[in-house]
Structure formats: C-alpha cells, structure tokens
C-alpha cells in the first residue's frame, strides 16, 4: 500500500496553525529554507527565459519604489520573519503584471509601467507583492496542494475495487479546486492588498492612487472571469475593499514625508 498520503496527512496534523501578519490563521508546513530555495531556482529560470529590461530609467524607478517600501516592512509588521535579502527585477515583458516568489524574489514586467501611471500606482503593486512574501502565501499554497493531493490519494486507496472510484475522485478534485484552492487564493490576494496598502502609505505613496491603479488595470484587461471561478478578486471588489481601508491608510500617509522616485 502506498504510504505517501498517510505521511503527508501526518505532517499536516502534527504541524498546527500559525498566523499571518494580519492575524489570520495559517497552515504553512514547508521549511522556510526550502521555500527560499524553490523561489531562487524559479527566479533564476525566469531570468534565463525572459529578458531583463535594460531601460535604466524604468529600472531606477522600480528599485527606488521597492527600496522605500522595504524600509517600512520592519516598522509596519515587526516580528514578521523576513528574507535575508530581497531581489527585485524588471523584466522586458509587455504584459502588465508582477509576481512574488518565496525568499524575497519579486518580478515586475515593463508593461506594468504603462498601466501604473504614477509612482503611487506602481507602489500599490510592489507593496502587494512584498506582502505576498511576508505573509508566506507561497508556503500556504504549497501546503494546501499537498493536503488536497493526500486526501485524493486516500480516497483512491479506500475506493479500490469500486467502479465509481474514478468518478468520486474527479468530483472531489473539482470540489477541492472550487471550494478550497480558489477561495484561499482570493484570501491571499485580499490580504496582500490590505498589507500592501499599509506599506505604500507608510512609505510616502498616496494610497488613494491604489484604486485608480485597479481602474487602469480593468481598462487594460477587458473582461474578467466570474469572481467565483477566479483566484483574484474582480476589480470592483478590490476597489471596494481598498476604499474601506482608505481612511486609516491616509492617516499613515499624512504622518510621513512623500516619497520621491521620479516618474
């Protein structure tokens, strides 16, 4: 009998829960050193496959905004484990996108700078990606995937000889995807939005620009999938959630000096 699912389930049961910087319960079982290694390897591969931007002005702008935000991480989220080093790379890719990998690796596409028309709008995205790293969302997603696969393997083992086992596994797989994986991913996005808004505001970037960034993204992206079937909140939901936190973010912004990174 395959013991793999039992071993994975044992890991899940023994680990217990931790909390994210916002206080949300979290199950993230993979060792941080291993996640950082995964992130470094994936980031290196991406740099080998996608050209890095040589636009000096754009690079300086991205690095300046990232530096201002990272300086605020310890002030806004004290006690949160952080990578030893951060690496922010601007890729020569026209897609208006950015991403974060464990270990403090953040990629920004050149195309995002065409949609983020101000430094504060670009800070919205960079703060969001920094938040993904701080909240260990990559670790949580990988832990979740291990758990879903373990459960499906167990169902397969206990259903051996049952003619309906394949249909049961397929149904549970769909249920896990819609009922667990996607909502968790939306929770990550929403949490990163909240943390990122706080980071950008405390770093001296006007938080009101965050909502305009998502309006710009909506205009650039055209139609979106239904929110229920998407790993990301739709733009209207995102804007509403940011507006709900705007008063607090504006107080942070007004208490600091505006950031200056060119434009």
């Amino acid at each position: 009998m395959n013991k793999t699912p039992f071993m994975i389930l044992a890991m899940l049961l023994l680990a217990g829960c931790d909390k994210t910087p916002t206080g949300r319960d979290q199950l993230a079982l993979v060792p941080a050193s291993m996640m950082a290694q995964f992130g470094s390897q994936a980031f290196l591969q991406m740099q080998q496959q996608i050209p890095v931007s040589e636009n000096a002005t754009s690079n300086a702008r991205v690095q300046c905004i990232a530096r201002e935000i990272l300086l605020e991480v310890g002030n806004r989220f004290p006690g949160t484990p952080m990578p030893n080093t951060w690496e922010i790379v601007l890729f020569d890719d026209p897609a208006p996108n950015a991403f974060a990998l464990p270990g403090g690796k953040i990629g920004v596409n050149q195309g995002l700078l065409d949609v983020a028309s101000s430094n504060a709008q670009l800070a919205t995205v960079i703060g969001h990606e920094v938040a993904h790293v701080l909240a260990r969302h990559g670790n949580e997603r990988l832990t979740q995937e291990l758990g879903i696969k373990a459960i499906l393997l167990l169902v397969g083992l206990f259903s051996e000889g049952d003619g309906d086992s394949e249909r049961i596994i397929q149904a549970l797989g769909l249920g896990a995807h819609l009922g667990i994986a996607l909502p968790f991913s939306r929770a990550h996005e929403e949490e990163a939005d909240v943390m990122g808004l706080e980071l950008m505001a405390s770093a001296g970037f006007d938080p009101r620009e965050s909502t305009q960034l998502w309006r710009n993204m909506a205009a650039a992206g055209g139609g979106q999938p239904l929110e229920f079937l998407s790993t990301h909140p739709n733009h209207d939901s995102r804007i509403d959630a940011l507006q709900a936190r705007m008063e607090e973010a504006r107080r942070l912004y007004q208490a600091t000096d505006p950031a200056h990174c060119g434009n």
Side-chain angles (χ1 to χ4, degrees):
M1 179 179 288
N2 187 344
K3 296 182 180 180
T4 301
F6 296 101
M7 294 173 61
I8 296 175
L9 282 180
M11 288 172 55
L12 292 171
L13 292 172
L14 291 172
C17 285
D18 200 351
K19 289 188 179 294
T20 66
T22 66
R24 179 177 61 82
D25 288 336
Q26 179 185 63
L27 192 64
L29 304 179
V30 185
S33 59
M34 186 177 295
M35 290 300 300
Q37 184 178 356
F38 291 159
S40 295
Q41 291 174 348
F43 205 52
L44 180 59
Q45 289 177 0
M46 294 193 72
Q47 292 177 70
Q48 293 171 344
Q49 296 169 2
I50 305 172
V52 173
S53 174
E54 297 182 359
N55 186 314
T57 300
S58 296
N59 269 291
R61 181 184 172 198
V62 168
Q63 296 297 331
C64 179
I65 292 171
R67 181 171 61 252
E68 294 296 318
I69 288 173
L70 291 173
L71 286 173
E72 287 300 314
V73 167
N75 295 331
R76 299 315 318 165
F77 303 106
T80 299
M82 285 191 293
N84 293 327
T85 59
W86 293 82
E87 184 178 4
I88 292 85
V89 171
L90 180 64
F91 289 93
D92 191 12
D93 187 325
N97 197 16
F99 62 90
L101 294 171
K105 310 300 183 184
I106 294 174
V108 177
N109 287 354
Q110 180 74 47
L112 181 63
L113 276 64
D114 297 327
V115 177
S117 58
S118 70
N119 284 342
Q121 290 178 27
L122 187 53
T124 301
V125 181
I126 294 176
H128 174 97
E129 300 303 337
V130 168
H132 274 312
V133 176
L134 295 177
R136 302 192 300 164
H137 288 156
N139 196 324
E140 191 174 3
R141 288 180 183 179
L142 181 55
T143 297
Q144 173 195 339
E145 284 294 317
L146 291 173
I148 291 173
K149 289 178 181 178
I151 291 169
L152 295 180
L153 283 169
L154 281 174
V155 170
L157 289 172
F158 288 124
S159 300
E160 287 178 357
D162 184 348
D164 292 330
S165 62
E166 188 64 28
R167 287 196 296 273
I168 292 172
I169 292 174
Q170 289 176 357
L172 284 174
L174 179 61
H177 184 60
L178 295 181
I180 301 175
L182 295 184
F184 260 98
S185 294
R186 287 198 296 271
H188 294 165
E189 292 299 315
E190 291 160 1
E191 187 169 47
D193 278 350
V194 169
M195 292 175 62
L197 185 68
E198 186 173 335
L199 282 170
M200 68 174 290
S202 59
F205 298 98
D206 190 344
R208 292 172 295 183
E209 288 289 299
S210 63
T211 56
Q212 186 57 50
L213 179 278
W214 292 113
R215 293 187 186 98
N216 293 354
M217 292 288 277
Q224 289 183 288
L226 292 175
E227 184 168 4
F228 175 65
L229 296 175
S230 173
T231 59
H232 289 57
N234 66 43
H235 297 311
D236 289 339
S237 296
R238 203 158 215 161
I239 290 169
D240 289 344
L242 289 169
Q243 289 284 19
R245 301 264 182 171
M246 196 57 66
E247 184 176 348
E248 179 183 353
R250 287 192 67 187
R251 284 198 295 267
L252 290 172
Y253 173 63
Q254 290 167 354
T256 190
D257 294 329
H260 298 286
C261 289
N263 205 5

